Amino acid sequence: PVITVDGKRIGQSKAMEYYTAKIAGLIPEDPVAAALVFSARETLGEAAEKVAKAFYNPDEEAKKALLEEFATTDAPALIAKLNNIRDTAGNQEFFVTSEVSFADICLFHMMSFVKMAAPGLGGLDAYEAIVAKVGEIPNIKAWVESRPVTAL
């Protein structure tokens, strides 16, 4: 994928994510906080890849095994990484800072996906309040209420 901004082509999905997050004011000015936001995004992205690999597997036995592996092996490691990022950030009101950031948007998306693909996964309760706050942001709330119905 490519977007063009002021006549300049920007390729790669993550580059476009970071660009749009920056112009939307979702990347902190503080370089350490920005790095923690990117760390959270990458950690959540790794988890999303593993859940998607299981969820989209056409073999139901393999899907079940992959989701079990995610729940017992990958999820605890993911949660430990997320907790470390949040602890490093100082347990702010949102994931990394006192204001909503790209990390919170990624968390909101990932939690929605994980709840659907791997219901009953524990250890994420500490993040429910953040997800709820993000879900109440007017534009996000409006999108969730009006988006097309899909498997995700």
Side-chain angles (χ1 to χ4, degrees):
V2 174
I3 59 172
T4 303
V5 179
D6 297 331
K8 296 176 182 155
R9 294 170 53 88
I10 301 169
Q12 298 297 331
S13 299
K14 287 181 188 175
M16 289 184 278
E17 283 180 14
Y18 295 140
Y19 170 78
T20 55
K22 181 70 175 171
I23 64 170
L26 296 171
I27 306 296
E29 290 299 320
D30 175 70
V32 173
L36 290 170
V37 166
F38 295 142
S39 180
R41 188 274 174 240
E42 291 304 309
T43 301
L44 291 162
E46 289 172 14
E49 287 176 22
K50 291 180 185 234
V51 172
K53 180 180 176 184
F55 183 75
Y56 291 113
N57 193 309
D59 180 334
E60 289 301 318
E61 293 267 328
K63 179 187 289 192
K64 184 177 176 182
L66 289 167
L67 287 173
E68 179 65 28
E69 179 182 345
F70 177 79
T72 59
T73 305
D74 299 320
L78 161 75
I79 293 164
K81 287 178 183 179
L82 294 177
N83 290 343
N84 184 52
I85 294 165
R86 185 131 195 253
D87 291 346
T88 300
N91 289 309
Q92 300 287 334
E93 181 179 351
F94 286 96
F95 196 167
V96 174
T97 67
S98 59
E99 296 180 8
V100 68
S101 74
F102 185 48
D104 302 300
I105 304 300
C106 293
L107 180 67
F108 178 84
H109 172 72
M110 180 59 189
M111 290 279 284
S112 300
F113 183 54
V114 167
K115 283 181 183 178
M116 188 270 311
L121 181 65
L124 294 169
D125 296 343
Y127 298 96
E128 287 292 339
I130 296 170
V131 170
K133 283 182 199 175
V134 172
E136 289 301 316
I137 295 171
N139 287 345
I140 292 175
K141 186 175 184 174
W143 168 248
V144 169
E145 291 171 354
S146 66
R147 68 183 172 194
V149 177
T150 66
L152 299 177

